[in-house]
Amino acid sequence: MNKLIEIKDLTVNFYTYEGVVRAITDLDLDIYQGETLGLVGETGCGKTVASLSILRLVLPPGKIESGQIMFYTDDHTLDLLSISERKIRAIRGSLISMVFQEPGAALNPVYTIGDQITEVILLHRKRDLANRALEILEPQLEEDGRWARVLKPFRRWQQRLYQRMREDPNDRWIHYVKRTPVLRHMFRRMEKEAEKIAVSLLKEVEIADPHRVIKQHPHQLSGGMKQRAVIAMALACRTRLLIADEPTTALDVTIQAQILELLKKLKDEIQTSILYITHDLAVAAEICDRVAVMYSGSLCEIADVVEIFQQPLHPYTRALMAAVPKPGEKPAAIKGFVPDPLDLPPGCRFHPRCQQAMDICKTQEPPLVEVAPGHYVACHLYPGGQVEDAG
């Protein structure tokens, strides 16, 4: 498979009054086209910060210190950390979008669901909307009759406006027309087409009676419907990458299953890649093609979903598997606590909690090595990248 996102040596720190919080250190991670990559780990390990870094949404006191995030499109390759703010704003929502953990916080309570979905469409799909408006407008120019003759000059001017937008959606003259109150109604046709697209998106995410829902405010929807609306908003532009940050955490198990099925169906239909962030290993096993395990800001293990569950190699991954409740078995808690990001231990960050820790683990941080095709582990138990070297 071809790469879609390639993260190289990403380091993110947060500068607080108590000291420097090292949230992510030298992260290397690839996301391939058409796959669902699961990013799992305990709370506070840096999963969300890594996803926010892709969209350059890390806010102060956070700072992306170094690294590259290469985004491979059909036409060219972009480093998302070095392009201008204008370019990254054009990418957010159109090529890369995000479904946040709490849909109630992601939706603006003042605006209707329809307003919030159409805003994305009007911002990123101007050419498509201009084409749709012209398809409706051009037959009207051929009509004959008293009112048609009266409206013809206005429609001709509107036609030229849409043609100009189709050629250059960022035309400065169009921007001025939009900002002029007396002329703003010229874009009403495009707004109506955006509303039609919003209704079709709500149908795609299996919301009943979408014509009614687009007129409602977020507080009038249930948790599951809010999450579906946020997913519809994220997929409004058929994005290349969808980042889903624990989208089912606050939902009951039946709605959670429906959302997971919905994500799998939409992934197949629009051929998008998904970065699915979760702390639930059962969810990762259900939806992901590959799984990457994070601990305290760094990667421990990456492998195919079947292989990582059948043959987990890193002691932390094994401990996570053992902590999952199973019928007839008592879950084994991981001893100790996640290290304080203000005072990380030297060497391997998991060594204070690891039952297989060696002297080298306390002084040297292990590199991420390939122990089998597509299976990477960062552990001193595999110094040469060979599985049989495990103790």
Side-chain angles (χ1 to χ4, degrees):
M1 289 190 294
N2 296 324
K3 290 181 182 178
L4 179 65
I5 294 285
E6 184 178 8
I7 302 175
K8 303 177 182 178
D9 300 323
L10 178 65
T11 298
V12 181
N13 293 333
F14 285 79
Y15 292 87
T16 69
Y17 290 112
E18 295 182 3
V20 179
V21 175
R22 289 179 284 170
I24 295 178
T25 305
D26 297 331
L27 178 69
D28 292 324
L29 185 64
D30 298 334
I31 304 172
Y32 294 97
Q33 295 180 9
E35 78 162 349
T36 299
L37 174 65
L39 194 57
V40 305
E42 293 175 272
T43 299
C45 70
K47 306 186 298 295
T48 298
V49 174
S51 65
L52 292 175
S53 299
I54 295 175
L55 289 170
R56 267 172 49 186
L57 290 175
V58 178
L59 300 177
K63 182 181 179 183
I64 300 175
E65 299 285 3
S66 61
Q68 292 180 310
I69 300 180
M70 308 306 297
F71 180 43
Y72 298 98
T73 65
D74 296 332
D75 303 326
H76 46 264
T77 302
L78 298 173
D79 181 2
L80 298 179
L81 298 184
S82 63
I83 61 177
S84 66
E85 183 62 28
R86 181 179 178 181
K87 287 184 178 179
I88 193 66
R89 286 185 65 186
I91 289 173
R92 293 181 195 134
S94 60
L95 297 176
I96 304 174
S97 57
M98 188 166 183
V99 177
F100 293 93
Q101 184 172 356
E102 177 49 57
L107 293 168
N108 192 320
V110 176
Y111 296 100
T112 64
I113 297 299
D115 288 338
Q116 297 184 63
I117 297 177
T118 55
E119 181 184 15
V120 178
I121 300 168
L122 289 167
L123 180 63
H124 294 297
R125 294 179 61 174
K126 295 174 184 175
R127 278 198 176 94
D128 183 25
L129 292 175
N131 283 327
R132 286 168 173 259
L134 284 169
E135 289 175 3
I136 297 173
L137 180 63
E138 287 171 350
Q140 293 176 349
L141 293 170
E142 306 301 324
E143 294 177 359
D144 196 14
R146 179 183 174 186
W147 285 110
R149 287 193 295 270
V150 171
L151 293 173
K152 201 164 193 176
F154 168 76
R155 288 173 174 169
R156 285 289 183 193
W157 197 73
Q158 200 173 30
Q159 181 190 36
R160 289 195 293 271
L161 182 68
Y162 292 151
Q163 288 172 342
R164 191 161 179 169
M165 175 170 282
R166 183 173 58 184
E167 294 170 2
D168 183 9
N170 299 315
D171 191 304
R172 188 172 293 276
W173 180 74
I174 295 173
H175 175 75
Y176 291 142
V177 172
K178 278 186 176 181
R179 292 299 184 99
T180 306
V182 72
L183 299 176
R184 179 168 170 73
H185 68 282
M186 301 289 289
F187 296 92
R188 183 57 188 157
R189 291 179 188 271
M190 291 179 57
E191 292 171 358
K192 287 183 177 179
E193 291 304 307
E195 289 177 6
K196 292 179 183 178
I197 296 174
V199 169
S200 67
L201 287 168
L202 292 179
K203 286 181 181 177
E204 284 186 30
V205 297
E206 301 174 358
I207 286 183
D209 197 2
H211 293 279
R212 175 179 59 85
V213 172
I214 63 168
K215 295 179 175 63
Q216 293 184 319
H217 289 81
H219 72 272
Q220 296 175 280
L221 305 183
S222 66
M225 290 179 70
K226 287 179 188 176
Q227 195 62 278
R228 290 171 190 269
V230 171
I231 293 172
M233 193 185 309
L235 297 176
C237 299
R238 297 298 190 260
T239 57
R240 301 289 302 278
L241 174 65
L242 173 65
I243 302 171
D245 185 5
E246 302 192 33
T248 60
T249 297
L251 306 177
D252 61 67
V253 290
T254 55
I255 302 300
Q256 175 176 303
Q258 293 173 11
I259 295 295
L260 294 178
E261 286 298 321
L262 174 64
L263 287 174
K264 288 193 287 186
K265 185 189 80 169
L266 293 174
K267 173 198 166 188
D268 294 335
E269 289 180 354
I270 67 177
Q271 297 298 304
T272 189
S273 301
I274 299 177
L275 175 60
Y276 194 94
I277 300 169
T278 182
H279 60 268
D280 191 332
L281 293 175
V283 171
E286 173 69 22
I287 195 173
C288 298
D289 301 309
R290 290 192 305 139
V291 176
V293 182
M294 282 192 76
Y295 182 79
S296 191
S298 60
L299 284 176
C300 297
E301 189 167 357
I302 309 172
D304 177 84
V305 64
V306 175
E307 184 171 355
I308 204 167
F309 278 91
Q310 289 183 347
Q311 191 180 15
L313 299 180
H314 196 282
Y316 177 61
T317 309
R318 294 175 182 171
L320 284 179
M321 302 290 186
V324 175
K326 303 178 184 65
E329 295 183 21
K330 184 178 180 181
I334 306 175
K335 71 172 186 177
F337 301 94
V338 177
D340 184 353
L342 289 167
D343 185 23
L344 293 172
C348 175
R349 295 178 180 180
F350 186 63
H351 86 261
R353 308 173 70 186
C354 182
Q355 297 181 357
Q356 297 175 276
M358 303 174 289
D359 290 338
I360 191 175
C361 301
K362 302 175 182 179
T363 57
Q364 296 184 23
E365 186 173 355
L368 195 68
V369 296
E370 188 173 14
V371 298
H375 195 154
Y376 297 83
V377 182
C379 182
H380 289 299
L381 293 172
Y382 314 97
Q386 301 296 320
V387 173
E388 60 266 24
D389 289 341

